[in-house]
């Protein structure tokens, strides 16, 4: 996709992985980008019973039209940070959609059949984060890659959303988050 194109003004995204991987935070950044952009937004988290270490996912809808339900059954985009997430959500991604997979914990993603026409981007985001001094920010690397492929918001809007989502008491993490976002956007 060229740097100047926008795939769609509607995004139905599921972000999924283990609790503690920051998928809900990444979803909040995406949702806040939509809010800053003046779009209709829904953000719906879902936690497994164990919280940290259990399954966690969130659904983010961004649209220029009113959103009827926050529940997404046919996403147009997926960030999957572990194998169970690829298996659960991958087959439901709409043709023409995007799947971003962290192969560090989803090593058998090729075993999961995606619908024809789904673009799949696989890379070891968790390993990349650790190798670049960004431990714990694989979620933001994946978000950066999803942004590159879909342009769900302008870059400046995405940075403003990130700045809004990083709490004041963790301001020291803002620059590493920005670096992780840029790293993903350059993949």
């Amino acid at each position: 996709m060229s740097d100047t194109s926008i795939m769609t003004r509607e995004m139905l995204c599921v972000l999924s992985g283990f609790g503690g991987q920051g998928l809900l935070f990444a979803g909040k950044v995406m949702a806040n980008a939509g809010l800053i952009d003046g779009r209709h937004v829904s953000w719906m988290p879902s936690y497994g019973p164990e919280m940290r270490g259990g399954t966690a996912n969130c659904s983010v809808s961004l649209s220029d039209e009113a959103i009827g339900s926050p529940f997404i059954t046919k996403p147009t985009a997926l960030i999957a940070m572990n194998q169970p997430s690829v298996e659960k959500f991958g087959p439901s991604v709409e043709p023409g959609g995007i799947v971003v997979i962290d192969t560090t914990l989803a090593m058998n993603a090729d075993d999961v059949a995606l619908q024809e026409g789904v673009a799949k981007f696989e890379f070891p985001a968790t390993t990349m984060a650790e190798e670049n001094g960004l431990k714990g920010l694989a979620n933001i690397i994946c978000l950066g890659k999803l942004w590159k492929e879909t342009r769900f918001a302008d870059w400046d809007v995405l940075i403003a959303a990130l700045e809004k989502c990083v709490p004041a008491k963790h301001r020291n993490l803002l620059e590493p988050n920005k670096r992780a976002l840029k790293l993903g956007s350059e993949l």
Side-chain angles (χ1 to χ4, degrees):
M1 182 161 278
S2 74
D3 286 343
T4 59
S5 64
I6 294 178
M7 174 190 257
T8 180
R9 289 294 296 173
E10 180 176 65
M11 166 83 59
L12 303 174
C13 185
V14 172
L15 300 91
S16 184
F18 291 126
Q21 286 186 298
L23 278 306
L24 303 182
F25 176 79
K28 280 185 182 181
V29 172
M30 178 184 271
N32 272 279
L35 289 172
I36 292 168
D37 216 17
R39 297 167 74 193
H40 295 270
V41 175
S42 73
W43 175 84
M44 187 174 76
S46 176
Y47 309 91
E50 302 88 1
M51 294 293 276
R52 185 172 293 278
T55 59
N57 67 76
C58 71
S59 299
V60 178
S61 299
L62 305 176
S63 181
D64 289 333
E65 305 294 325
I67 297 169
S69 171
F71 188 68
I72 297 173
T73 57
K74 296 182 179 202
T76 58
L78 169 66
I79 292 178
M81 292 190 62
N82 62 13
Q83 188 67 31
S85 297
V86 177
E87 292 169 2
K88 181 175 182 178
F89 297 108
S92 64
V93 175
E94 287 287 302
I98 303 285
V99 176
V100 174
I101 301 171
D102 179 356
T103 57
T104 306
L105 295 174
M107 296 170 278
N108 298 316
D110 288 337
D111 295 344
V112 177
L114 302 176
Q115 293 193 49
E116 191 171 323
V118 171
K120 180 171 63 169
F121 300 93
E122 300 176 276
F123 51 93
T126 300
T127 301
M128 290 172 61
E130 291 172 6
E131 290 173 349
N132 285 279
L134 300 168
K135 186 173 181 172
L137 296 178
N139 58 329
I140 302 301
I141 293 173
C142 290
L143 185 62
K145 178 60 175 172
L146 181 66
W147 175 84
K148 178 182 181 181
E149 299 305 324
T150 64
R151 303 294 203 246
F152 60 84
D154 288 337
W155 181 256
D156 292 342
V157 168
L158 185 57
I159 293 298
L162 183 64
E163 290 171 347
K164 182 175 181 171
C165 290
V166 174
K169 67 180 180 178
H170 295 295
R171 273 311 201 214
N172 61 314
L173 299 177
L174 183 57
E175 286 308 313
N177 272 273
K178 286 180 180 179
R179 286 189 2 247
L181 198 60
K182 185 162 177 45
L183 180 62
S185 74
E186 293 172 346
L187 291 174

